[in-house]
Amino acid sequence: MRVVTDRLPHVLRSDAASNRARILEAARTLFSARGLDVPMREVARRAGVGPATLYRHFPTKQALVTEAFADQMRECRAIVDRGYADPDPWHGLCSVIEKICELHARDRGFTEAFMSTFPNAADVTADRAYTVKAVTELALRARESGHLRPDFLIPDDLILMLMANRGIHASTPSSRAAASRRFAGFVIQMIQASPQHSPLPPATSLNR
Amino acid sequence: MRVVTDRLPHVLRSDAASNRARILEAARTLFSARGLDVPMREVARRAGVGPATLYRHFPTKQALVTEAFADQMRECRAIVDRGYADPDPWHGLCSVIEKICELHARDRGFTEAFMSTFPNAADVTADRAYTVKAVTELALRARESGHLRPDFLIPDDLILMLMANRGIHASTPSSRAAASRRFAGFVIQMIQASPQHSPLPPATSLNR
DNA sequence: AGCCAAGCGGACGGGGGCGTCCGTTAGCGT
DNA sequence: ACGCTAACGGACGCCCCCGTCCGCTTGGCT
């Protein structure tokens, strides 16, 4: 007797599977290089499929983005997890900052997906919340350890620096990566505890 | 005998002048709040004129942008001039950084106009070059005075910080201004000379 | 008051992106 | 080998933006 689940084909036909893979590859390439506002048609064109096929596999652009950046999201979580697990919280925090900046510098689309509050992007939102929570706790421990300056607001100033990193552009991916790396170096020195710090301008919540 | 220049009407009719003024006001408002990719139609709509009128006064979007931000450009030059004239170069540099960040935070369109290399934007390019040159000399003096960290690259790192400031967004203009102010505070402390600085990652030119 | 050109804006054609429909193709199971 | 249906993609209608043309309005001068 056939069970109910047999009625929905959960396995793709071979051509469908390869099309899907090519679409994702095309999306990753284009989104990485040019950000999220690449036309869906162009993704389809690069993947060698018609627009209808693209829309059949990913009914909304958000779905495509979420799938395309699943790897990057995993890598992002892995970065914060490794930092979180570091016995030296300051060292862990520094490595998180460096790696996240590099990840964002390497992939413009991922930056947009991660930062911009996409409407109805439940997955991305959840991943971001997880990341922010983990890095918040890590930063709190770093502050307790005395290495992080006490007036550094957690997580607001971390988000501030991530936003700042997003503004860094350059004409080639490699020079962008280098600029972002240098910026991360500045940031790390900037947030280090030091006796000579004068008071900073106050922060208001970023949401209002 | 009438002279040749009489043949071109150099004075606008009163309605034309008021339309022109209203167009510029509308453009300033919309560009400030939403950046440069506001449709020309929308500027016309807000100014209460037809699209043809808008295009008659400003045949290209670049012309409109240049006119609309002439004030901001003047203010920008004034800021660097005041900093340049400061007898204490470090103090002058700090005030330039604070003021420029604030100016950019207040006006999203100006940021885009100033940063993005608009094709055929001779005016903006010249203004930017002037600004960069002045602030470069100011920073060099600040470095000689011993207040600016010696490994700070001039003007590359200044531009890096300006780009970073551009990445800072918020849901309201006032919170954006506050965030930018706080960022500028971080930057100033970060570029201060200090015995404890460890080496920074190298910079590659931003152009290649 | 009357003229007339400076000035106006509605409307047009072109281009591009979007999401969907439907006739055709071809993978896969028998 | 054959048929069935999952899967494909060309083509369509919709909307928005762009830049321009042309018949009408109106400010300003005589």
Side-chain angles (χ1 to χ4, degrees):
Chain A
M1 158 188 178
R2 322 196 107 217
V3 289
V4 181
T5 53
D6 272 0
R7 315 193 67 209
L8 316 174
H10 282 143
V11 275
L12 288 167
R13 227 167 65 179
S14 67
D15 56 343
S18 92
N19 277 337
R20 185 187 169 87
R22 288 213 315 289
I23 288 170
L24 280 174
E25 191 194 327
R28 273 190 273 264
T29 306
L30 291 173
F31 288 157
S32 285
R34 293 174 31 201
L36 295 187
D37 47 3
V38 173
M40 291 289 264
R41 310 302 262 233
E42 194 166 340
V43 177
R45 224 174 299 137
R46 174 177 253 266
V49 301
T53 300
L54 174 54
Y55 282 107
R56 191 171 323 105
H57 282 287
F58 305 96
T60 163
K61 186 172 211 165
Q62 179 56 43
L64 176 59
V65 168
T66 306
E67 286 274 346
F69 289 122
D71 286 353
Q72 307 280 47
M73 270 301 180
R74 231 187 318 280
E75 187 175 343
C76 188
R77 284 202 309 270
I79 287 170
V80 300
D81 287 344
R82 273 201 300 276
Y84 192 87
D86 195 312
D88 176 354
W90 170 250
H91 181 263
L93 180 63
C94 289
S95 94
V96 167
I97 290 171
E98 286 168 357
K99 301 281 181 44
I100 295 281
C101 282
E102 193 208 318
L103 182 61
H104 280 234
R106 204 191 320 143
D107 195 319
R108 187 168 156 190
F110 179 66
T111 307
E112 288 180 28
F114 190 85
M115 306 289 283
S116 103
T117 304
F118 233 107
N120 311 328
D123 300 337
V124 175
T125 305
D127 278 319
R128 181 174 43 226
Y130 173 87
T131 307
V132 170
K133 185 162 186 292
V135 78
T136 295
E137 291 177 24
L138 174 59
L140 286 172
R141 279 193 284 132
R143 185 200 272 162
E144 281 164 24
S145 82
H147 288 92
L148 180 62
R149 57 188 295 171
D151 56 351
F152 189 78
L153 287 176
I154 303 169
D156 301 48
D157 283 338
L158 283 165
I159 294 169
L160 187 67
M161 294 309 151
L162 199 54
M163 287 197 298
N165 184 62
R166 152 179 77 176
I168 295 169
H169 292 274
S171 42
T172 70
S174 73
S175 64
R176 184 181 183 185
S180 192
R181 213 175 300 125
R182 187 166 172 90
F183 179 72
F186 273 119
V187 167
I188 286 170
Q189 296 191 8
M190 166 167 80
I191 69 178
Q192 222 162 354
S194 157
Q196 67 172 8
H197 283 149
S198 26
L200 287 165
T204 64
S205 160
L206 292 167
N207 301 321
R208 49 195 322 268
Chain B
M1 159 188 179
R2 320 195 107 217
V3 290
V4 180
T5 54
D6 272 1
R7 314 193 68 211
L8 317 174
H10 282 144
V11 275
L12 289 167
R13 227 169 63 178
S14 67
D15 55 343
S18 93
N19 276 339
R20 184 186 170 89
R22 288 213 315 288
I23 288 170
L24 280 174
E25 191 194 326
R28 272 190 274 264
T29 306
L30 291 173
F31 288 157
S32 285
R34 295 174 29 200
L36 294 187
D37 47 3
V38 172
M40 291 289 264
R41 309 303 260 235
E42 195 166 339
V43 177
R45 224 175 299 137
R46 173 176 254 267
V49 302
T53 300
L54 174 53
Y55 281 106
R56 190 170 323 103
H57 283 287
F58 305 97
T60 163
K61 186 172 211 166
Q62 180 55 44
L64 177 58
V65 168
T66 306
E67 286 275 346
F69 289 121
D71 286 352
Q72 306 280 45
M73 268 302 181
R74 232 187 315 280
E75 187 176 343
C76 188
R77 284 202 308 271
I79 286 170
V80 300
D81 286 344
R82 273 201 301 274
Y84 192 87
D86 195 312
D88 175 355
W90 170 249
H91 180 263
L93 180 62
C94 289
S95 95
V96 167
I97 290 172
E98 287 168 357
K99 300 280 180 45
I100 294 282
C101 282
E102 193 207 318
L103 183 61
H104 279 236
R106 204 192 319 145
D107 196 319
R108 187 167 155 192
F110 179 67
T111 307
E112 288 181 29
F114 190 85
M115 306 288 283
S116 105
T117 304
F118 234 106
N120 311 328
D123 300 337
V124 174
T125 304
D127 278 318
R128 182 174 43 227
Y130 173 87
T131 307
V132 170
K133 184 162 186 294
V135 77
T136 295
E137 291 177 24
L138 175 58
L140 285 172
R141 279 194 283 132
R143 185 201 272 163
E144 280 165 24
S145 83
H147 288 93
L148 181 62
R149 57 187 295 170
D151 57 351
F152 188 80
L153 288 176
I154 303 168
D156 301 47
D157 282 338
L158 284 165
I159 294 169
L160 187 66
M161 295 307 154
L162 199 54
M163 287 198 297
N165 183 62
R166 152 178 77 176
I168 296 170
H169 292 273
S171 43
T172 70
S174 72
S175 64
R176 182 181 184 185
S180 193
R181 214 174 299 125
R182 186 165 172 91
F183 180 71
F186 274 120
V187 167
I188 286 170
Q189 297 193 7
M190 166 167 81
I191 69 177
Q192 222 163 355
S194 156
Q196 68 172 6
H197 282 147
S198 26
L200 287 164
T204 66
S205 161
L206 293 167
N207 300 321
R208 48 195 324 266

